[in-house]
Amino acid sequence: MAEVMYMTGARGGSGVTTCAVNLAAALSAGGERTLVIDGDSDCASGLELCGLLGLSVYTLADVEEGACRVKQAILQHPSSPNLYILPTLGCKSAEIVERAVEECAPLFDYIICDNTGARACSRAALVCDPYSPSLNCAKKRGGEIKDGSFKQSGLIVNKVNGGLVFDGAILTPQEIASIVRLPLWGVIPEDLTLPLGKIKAGTQRAFAMAGEFVAGKSEKLYGVVKSYLGVGGMLKRKLRSRV
C-alpha cells in the first residue's frame, strides 16, 4: 500500500511542482514505484516538467466525466520505468483526486500529490525558499499543516544558495526548520538550469538524499555550504564577490 504525501508551498513560486517531480524521480530511481498526481488543472505544469505535455490521452477530467478509468489516465515516464504521472488537467472537483488515490494506493509504493488531494494524504511536505517573503508565509502554512490530519509532516527548503548561507546573508535550512517548526526533510540547492529543463549533478544528489530521507533509508541532508569550504571554496567565494 502506498505512502501518500501531499506537497504544497509556503507561497507561489516556491518550486513545489519541481520538488514533487524530482523527489518522485529520486524515489523511483531508488526502486520505489512512484506516482505523481499533477495538481495543476489549468496548465499541467507537472507533465511539462516531465517532458510529457501533449502526450496524455486522458486526464482525471475524463475520469470525472466517465470517459475512462483512473488507470487509463496514468502515464509511465519513458526513461524512468518506476515513475508515473497522473494529470488533473481540466478537473473541476478535488473529489476525483481522492478517488484516484484510493484506487491507485495498492499499485504504488509512493503517491505524491502536488497541491491537490490533501484529505487523501497521510503525510505532508511544505516547500519554501530561504527568503523573507517565503519564510513569513511558511510559518503560517507550517502551523496549518501541523494542525491538520497528517500523521507526519516535514519541510523541504528549496533554492538554497550556499554562498549566501556561508556569508550569513540568509538563514541555514536548519534555522528555517526551527522557525517553521517542522522537521527538515530535504535541502535543495539553487539551480538556475532547472527552468531550462536540465538539472545539475549536485541538485540531483540533493533530491536523491531527500528521497532517501522520506523513504526512511537515511537521515543525511545535502550540504549546500560544502563547496564553499577549503581552497577551492575560497576561490569560488572570491569569484562570487566580483560578480
Side-chain angles (χ1 to χ4, degrees):
M1 189 67 73
E3 287 276 358
V4 187
M5 185 165 71
Y6 173 64
M7 289 190 70
T8 188
R11 64 176 184 137
S14 298
V16 180
T17 300
T18 299
C19 286
V21 168
N22 283 286
L23 181 62
L27 287 166
S28 66
E32 309 288 355
R33 191 175 166 89
T34 307
L35 172 69
V36 177
I37 300 183
D38 177 9
D40 189 346
S41 59
D42 294 322
C43 303
S45 54
L47 276 182
E48 185 173 7
L49 274 173
C50 291
L52 303 177
L53 191 63
L55 298 180
S56 61
V57 177
Y58 298 112
T59 76
L60 280 181
D62 297 297
V63 178
E64 204 170 28
E65 294 173 2
C68 70
R69 300 189 304 275
V70 172
K71 292 179 184 178
Q72 291 176 288
I74 297 173
L75 285 82
Q76 184 177 24
H77 198 284
S79 59
S80 302
N82 286 323
L83 179 60
Y84 297 79
I85 313 293
L86 179 56
T88 63
L89 191 64
C91 273
K92 299 175 183 177
S93 170
E95 292 180 3
I96 193 65
V97 176
E98 295 168 15
R99 174 185 155 190
V101 169
E102 184 178 355
E103 290 189 25
C104 293
L107 306 175
F108 295 92
D109 298 307
Y110 285 88
I111 297 175
I112 295 179
C113 297
D114 173 17
N115 267 318
T116 189
R119 291 194 303 180
C121 301
S122 59
R123 305 172 79 181
L126 177 66
V127 178
C128 79
D129 59 61
Y131 303 104
S132 294
S134 187
L135 293 182
N136 291 332
C137 296
K139 285 190 286 186
K140 180 180 179 182
R141 294 288 287 124
E144 291 172 354
I145 286 173
K146 285 183 69 175
D147 293 339
S149 58
F150 305 108
K151 294 179 181 178
Q152 289 182 309
S153 54
L155 178 71
I156 295 175
V157 184
N158 190 30
K159 304 180 183 180
V160 184
N161 185 305
L164 294 179
V165 173
F166 186 89
D167 293 340
I170 60 175
L171 297 175
T172 67
Q174 289 76 13
E175 288 170 333
I176 293 169
S178 177
I179 290 171
V180 178
R181 296 185 180 181
L182 286 174
L184 190 58
W185 284 1
V187 178
I188 310 300
E190 183 179 51
D191 186 347
L192 299 181
T193 71
L194 284 172
L196 303 175
K198 301 177 182 179
I199 186 169
K200 292 181 179 178
T203 311
Q204 209 158 23
R205 284 197 302 274
F207 278 115
M209 294 174 78
E212 289 182 350
F213 197 105
V214 167
K217 297 178 180 178
S218 172
E219 293 187 355
K220 293 181 180 180
L221 296 170
Y222 185 78
V224 289
V225 177
K226 188 176 180 180
S227 64
Y228 289 88
L229 303 176
V231 177
M234 182 178 66
L235 293 173
K236 191 173 182 179
R237 294 197 303 275
K238 285 185 177 180
L239 287 171
R240 280 188 69 252
S241 66
R242 294 178 182 179
V243 176

